[in-house]
Coordinates of all heavy atoms in Angstrom, one line a residue:
Chain O
S92 N 89.1 -169.5 182.3 CA 88.9 -170.9 182.6 C 88.1 -171.2 183.8 O 87.3 -172.0 183.9 CB 90.3 -171.7 182.6 OG 91.0 -171.6 181.4
I93 N 88.5 -170.4 184.9 CA 87.7 -170.5 186.1 C 86.2 -170.2 185.9 O 85.3 -170.9 186.3 CB 88.3 -169.6 187.2 CG1 89.7 -170.1 187.7 CG2 87.3 -169.5 188.4 CD1 90.4 -169.2 188.6
L94 N 86.0 -169.1 185.2 CA 84.6 -168.6 184.9 C 83.9 -169.7 184.0 O 82.7 -169.9 184.2 CB 84.7 -167.3 184.2 CG 85.0 -166.1 185.1 CD1 85.3 -164.9 184.3 CD2 83.9 -165.9 186.1
F95 N 84.6 -170.3 183.1 CA 84.0 -171.3 182.2 C 83.6 -172.5 183.1 O 82.5 -173.1 182.9 CB 85.0 -171.8 181.1 CG 84.5 -172.9 180.3 CD1 83.3 -172.8 179.5 CD2 85.1 -174.1 180.3 CE1 82.8 -173.9 178.8 CE2 84.6 -175.2 179.6 CZ 83.5 -175.1 178.8
L96 N 84.5 -173.0 184.0 CA 84.1 -174.1 184.8 C 82.9 -173.8 185.7 O 82.1 -174.7 186.0 CB 85.3 -174.5 185.7 CG 86.5 -175.2 184.9 CD1 87.7 -175.5 185.8 CD2 86.1 -176.4 184.2
V97 N 82.8 -172.6 186.2 CA 81.8 -172.2 187.1 C 80.5 -172.0 186.3 O 79.4 -172.5 186.7 CB 82.2 -170.9 187.9 CG1 81.0 -170.3 188.6 CG2 83.3 -171.2 188.9
K98 N 80.5 -171.2 185.2 CA 79.3 -170.8 184.5 C 78.9 -171.7 183.4 O 77.8 -171.6 182.9 CB 79.5 -169.4 184.0 CG 79.6 -168.3 185.1 CD 79.6 -166.9 184.6 CE 79.6 -165.9 185.7 NZ 79.2 -164.6 185.3
R99 N 79.9 -172.4 182.8 CA 79.6 -173.3 181.7 C 79.1 -172.5 180.5 O 78.3 -173.0 179.7 CB 78.6 -174.4 182.0 CG 79.0 -175.3 183.2 CD 80.1 -176.3 182.8 NE 80.4 -177.1 184.0 CZ 80.0 -178.3 184.2 NH1 79.2 -178.9 183.3 NH2 80.4 -179.0 185.2
E100 N 79.6 -171.3 180.3 CA 79.3 -170.5 179.1 C 80.4 -170.5 178.1 O 81.6 -170.3 178.5 CB 79.0 -169.1 179.5 CG 77.7 -168.9 180.3 CD 77.4 -167.5 180.8 OE1 78.4 -166.7 180.7 OE2 76.3 -167.2 181.3
R101 N 80.0 -170.8 176.9 CA 81.0 -170.9 175.8 C 81.9 -169.7 175.6 O 83.1 -169.8 175.3 CB 80.3 -171.3 174.5 CG 81.0 -171.1 173.2 CD 82.1 -172.1 173.0 NE 82.7 -171.8 171.7 CZ 84.0 -172.0 171.4 NH1 84.8 -172.4 172.3 NH2 84.5 -171.7 170.2
K102 N 81.3 -168.5 175.9 CA 82.1 -167.3 175.7 C 83.4 -167.3 176.5 O 84.5 -166.8 176.0 CB 81.3 -166.0 175.9 CG 80.9 -165.8 177.3 CD 80.0 -164.5 177.4 CE 79.6 -164.2 178.8 NZ 78.7 -163.0 178.9
W103 N 83.4 -167.8 177.7 CA 84.6 -167.9 178.5 C 85.6 -168.9 178.0 O 86.8 -168.6 178.0 CB 84.2 -168.2 180.0 CG 83.3 -167.2 180.6 CD1 82.0 -167.3 181.0 CD2 83.6 -165.8 180.8 NE1 81.5 -166.2 181.5 CE2 82.5 -165.2 181.4 CE3 84.8 -165.0 180.7 CZ2 82.4 -163.9 181.8 CZ3 84.7 -163.7 181.0 CH2 83.6 -163.1 181.6
D104 N 85.1 -170.0 177.5 CA 85.9 -171.0 176.8 C 86.6 -170.4 175.6 O 87.8 -170.5 175.4 CB 85.1 -172.2 176.5 CG 85.9 -173.2 175.7 OD1 86.9 -173.7 176.2 OD2 85.5 -173.6 174.6
A105 N 85.8 -169.6 174.8 CA 86.4 -169.0 173.6 C 87.4 -168.0 174.0 O 88.5 -167.8 173.3 CB 85.3 -168.3 172.8
L106 N 87.2 -167.2 175.1 CA 88.2 -166.2 175.5 C 89.5 -166.9 176.0 O 90.6 -166.5 175.6 CB 87.6 -165.4 176.6 CG 88.5 -164.3 177.3 CD1 89.0 -163.3 176.2 CD2 87.8 -163.6 178.4
A107 N 89.3 -168.0 176.7 CA 90.5 -168.7 177.2 C 91.3 -169.3 176.0 O 92.5 -169.2 176.0 CB 90.0 -169.9 178.1
L108 N 90.6 -169.9 175.1 CA 91.3 -170.4 173.9 C 92.0 -169.4 173.1 O 93.2 -169.5 172.8 CB 90.3 -171.2 173.0 CG 90.8 -171.7 171.7 CD1 91.9 -172.7 171.9 CD2 89.6 -172.3 170.9
S109 N 91.4 -168.3 172.9 CA 92.0 -167.1 172.1 C 93.2 -166.6 172.9 O 94.3 -166.4 172.3 CB 91.0 -166.0 171.9 OG 89.8 -166.5 171.3
A110 N 93.1 -166.4 174.2 CA 94.2 -165.9 175.0 C 95.3 -166.9 175.0 O 96.5 -166.5 175.0 CB 93.7 -165.5 176.4
A111 N 95.0 -168.2 175.1 CA 96.1 -169.2 175.1 C 96.9 -169.1 173.8 O 98.1 -169.2 173.8 CB 95.5 -170.6 175.3
E112 N 96.2 -169.0 172.7 CA 96.9 -169.0 171.4 C 97.8 -167.8 171.3 O 99.0 -167.9 170.9 CB 95.8 -169.0 170.3 CG 96.4 -169.2 168.9 CD 95.3 -169.2 167.9 OE1 94.6 -170.3 167.7 OE2 95.1 -168.2 167.2
I113 N 97.3 -166.6 171.7 CA 98.1 -165.4 171.7 C 99.3 -165.5 172.7 O 100.4 -165.2 172.4 CB 97.2 -164.2 172.0 CG1 96.2 -164.0 170.9 CG2 98.1 -163.0 172.2 CD1 95.1 -163.0 171.2
G114 N 99.0 -166.1 173.8 CA 100.1 -166.3 174.8 C 101.2 -167.2 174.3 O 102.4 -166.9 174.5
V115 N 100.8 -168.3 173.6 CA 101.8 -169.2 173.0 C 102.7 -168.4 172.0 O 103.9 -168.6 171.9 CB 101.2 -170.4 172.4 CG1 102.1 -171.2 171.5 CG2 100.7 -171.3 173.5
V116 N 102.0 -167.6 171.1 CA 102.8 -166.8 170.1 C 103.8 -165.9 170.8 O 105.0 -165.9 170.4 CB 101.8 -166.0 169.3 CG1 102.5 -165.0 168.4 CG2 100.9 -167.0 168.4
F117 N 103.4 -165.2 171.8 CA 104.3 -164.2 172.4 C 105.4 -164.9 173.2 O 106.5 -164.5 173.3 CB 103.5 -163.2 173.3 CG 103.0 -162.1 172.4 CD1 101.6 -162.1 172.0 CD2 103.8 -161.0 172.0 CE1 101.1 -161.1 171.3 CE2 103.2 -160.0 171.2 CZ 101.9 -160.0 170.9
T118 N 105.0 -166.0 173.9 CA 106.1 -166.8 174.6 C 107.0 -167.4 173.6 O 108.2 -167.5 173.9 CB 105.4 -167.9 175.5 OG1 104.4 -167.2 176.3 CG2 106.4 -168.5 176.4
T119 N 106.6 -167.8 172.4 CA 107.5 -168.3 171.4 C 108.5 -167.2 171.0 O 109.7 -167.4 170.9 CB 106.7 -168.7 170.1 OG1 105.7 -169.7 170.5 CG2 107.6 -169.2 169.1
L120 N 108.0 -165.9 170.9 CA 108.9 -164.8 170.6 C 109.9 -164.7 171.7 O 111.1 -164.4 171.5 CB 108.1 -163.5 170.5 CG 107.3 -163.4 169.2 CD1 106.5 -162.1 169.2 CD2 108.1 -163.5 168.0
V121 N 109.5 -164.8 173.0 CA 110.4 -164.7 174.1 C 111.5 -165.8 174.0 O 112.7 -165.5 174.1 CB 109.7 -164.9 175.5 CG1 110.7 -165.1 176.6 CG2 108.7 -163.8 175.7
L122 N 111.1 -167.0 173.6 CA 112.1 -168.1 173.5 C 112.9 -168.1 172.3 O 114.0 -168.7 172.2 CB 111.3 -169.5 173.6 CG 110.6 -169.8 174.9 CD1 109.7 -171.0 174.8 CD2 111.7 -170.1 176.0
L123 N 112.5 -167.3 171.3 CA 113.4 -167.1 170.1 C 114.3 -165.9 170.3 O 115.5 -166.0 169.9 CB 112.5 -166.9 168.9 CG 111.7 -168.1 168.4 CD1 110.8 -167.7 167.2 CD2 112.6 -169.2 167.9
T124 N 113.8 -164.8 170.9 CA 114.7 -163.6 171.0 C 115.7 -163.7 172.2 O 116.8 -163.2 172.1 CB 113.8 -162.4 171.2 OG1 113.0 -162.5 172.3 CG2 113.0 -162.1 169.9
G125 N 115.2 -164.4 173.2 CA 116.1 -164.6 174.4 C 117.4 -165.3 174.0 O 118.5 -164.7 174.4
P126 N 117.4 -166.4 173.4 CA 118.7 -167.0 173.0 C 119.6 -166.2 172.1 O 120.8 -166.3 172.2 CB 118.2 -168.3 172.3 CG 116.9 -168.6 172.9 CD 116.3 -167.3 173.2
L127 N 119.0 -165.4 171.3 CA 119.8 -164.5 170.4 C 120.6 -163.5 171.3 O 121.7 -163.2 171.1 CB 118.9 -163.7 169.4 CG 118.4 -164.6 168.3 CD1 117.4 -163.8 167.5 CD2 119.5 -165.0 167.3
W128 N 119.9 -163.0 172.3 CA 120.5 -162.1 173.2 C 121.5 -162.8 174.1 O 122.6 -162.4 174.4 CB 119.4 -161.4 174.1 CG 119.9 -160.4 175.1 CD1 121.1 -159.8 175.1 CD2 119.1 -159.9 176.1 NE1 121.1 -158.9 176.2 CE2 119.9 -158.9 176.8 CE3 117.8 -160.1 176.6 CZ2 119.5 -158.2 177.9 CZ3 117.4 -159.3 177.7 CH2 118.2 -158.4 178.3
A129 N 121.2 -164.1 174.5 CA 122.0 -164.9 175.3 C 123.4 -165.2 174.6 O 124.4 -165.2 175.3 CB 121.3 -166.2 175.7
K130 N 123.3 -165.5 173.4 CA 124.5 -165.8 172.6 C 125.5 -164.6 172.6 O 126.7 -164.8 172.8 CB 124.1 -166.2 171.2 CG 125.3 -166.5 170.3 CD 126.0 -167.8 170.6 CE 127.1 -168.1 169.6 NZ 128.0 -169.1 170.1
A131 N 124.9 -163.4 172.5 CA 125.8 -162.2 172.5 C 126.3 -161.9 173.9 O 127.4 -161.5 174.1 CB 125.0 -161.0 172.0
A132 N 125.4 -162.2 174.9 CA 125.8 -161.8 176.3 C 126.6 -162.9 177.0 O 127.5 -162.6 177.7 CB 124.5 -161.5 177.1
W133 N 126.1 -164.2 176.8 CA 126.8 -165.3 177.6 C 127.6 -166.2 176.8 O 128.3 -167.1 177.3 CB 125.7 -166.1 178.3 CG 124.7 -165.4 179.1 CD1 124.9 -164.3 179.8 CD2 123.3 -165.9 179.4 NE1 123.7 -163.9 180.5 CE2 122.8 -164.9 180.2 CE3 122.6 -166.9 179.0 CZ2 121.5 -165.0 180.7 CZ3 121.3 -167.0 179.4 CH2 120.7 -166.1 180.3
G134 N 127.6 -166.0 175.4 CA 128.4 -166.9 174.6 C 127.7 -168.2 174.3 O 128.3 -169.1 173.6
T135 N 126.4 -168.4 174.7 CA 125.7 -169.6 174.4 C 124.3 -169.3 174.2 O 123.7 -168.3 174.8 CB 125.9 -170.6 175.6 OG1 125.2 -171.8 175.2 CG2 125.4 -170.1 176.9
Y136 N 123.6 -170.1 173.4 CA 122.2 -169.8 173.1 C 121.3 -170.2 174.2 O 120.2 -169.6 174.5 CB 121.7 -170.6 171.8 CG 122.2 -170.0 170.5 CD1 123.2 -170.7 169.8 CD2 121.8 -168.8 170.0 CE1 123.7 -170.2 168.6 CE2 122.2 -168.3 168.9 CZ 123.2 -168.9 168.2 OH 123.7 -168.4 167.0
W137 N 121.6 -171.2 175.0 CA 120.7 -171.7 176.0 C 121.5 -172.3 177.2 O 122.6 -172.9 177.0 CB 119.9 -172.9 175.4 CG 118.8 -173.4 176.3 CD1 118.9 -174.4 177.2 CD2 117.5 -172.8 176.5 NE1 117.8 -174.6 177.9 CE2 116.9 -173.6 177.5 CE3 116.8 -171.8 175.9 CZ2 115.6 -173.4 177.9 CZ3 115.5 -171.5 176.3 CH2 114.9 -172.3 177.3
V138 N 121.0 -172.0 178.4 CA 121.5 -172.7 179.6 C 120.2 -173.1 180.3 O 119.1 -172.5 180.2 CB 122.3 -171.7 180.5 CG1 123.6 -171.4 179.9 CG2 121.5 -170.5 180.9
W139 N 120.4 -174.2 181.0 CA 119.2 -174.8 181.8 C 119.1 -174.1 183.2 O 119.1 -174.8 184.2 CB 119.3 -176.3 181.9 CG 119.1 -177.0 180.6 CD1 120.1 -177.5 179.8 CD2 117.9 -177.2 179.9 NE1 119.6 -178.0 178.6 CE2 118.2 -177.8 178.7 CE3 116.6 -176.9 180.2 CZ2 117.3 -178.2 177.7 CZ3 115.6 -177.3 179.2 CH2 116.0 -177.9 178.0
D140 N 119.0 -172.8 183.1 CA 118.8 -172.1 184.4 C 117.3 -172.0 184.7 O 116.5 -172.3 183.9 CB 119.6 -170.8 184.4 CG 118.7 -169.6 184.0 OD1 117.7 -169.7 183.3 OD2 119.1 -168.5 184.4
A141 N 117.0 -171.5 185.9 CA 115.6 -171.5 186.4 C 114.7 -170.8 185.5 O 113.6 -171.3 185.2 CB 115.6 -171.0 187.8
R142 N 115.0 -169.6 185.2 CA 114.1 -168.7 184.4 C 113.8 -169.3 183.0 O 112.7 -169.4 182.5 CB 114.5 -167.3 184.3 CG 113.5 -166.5 183.5 CD 113.6 -165.0 183.8 NE 112.8 -164.7 185.0 CZ 112.6 -163.4 185.4 NH1 113.1 -162.4 184.7 NH2 111.9 -163.2 186.5

Side-chain angles (χ1 to χ4, degrees):
Chain O
S92 296
I93 291 172
L94 287 167
F95 173 64
L96 289 177
V97 168
K98 296 188 175 195
R99 304 285 178 100
E100 288 175 351
R101 163 72 178 142
K102 66 182 183 184
W103 298 113
D104 176 55
L106 177 60
L108 173 60
S109 304
E112 193 178 276
I113 293 168
V115 166
V116 169
F117 279 98
T118 308
T119 304
L120 289 178
V121 171
L122 291 171
L123 289 175
T124 56
L127 287 171
W128 184 13
K130 179 67 176 167
W133 306 332
T135 180
Y136 287 108
W137 187 265
V138 289
W139 291 101
D140 95 336
R142 177 158 280 188

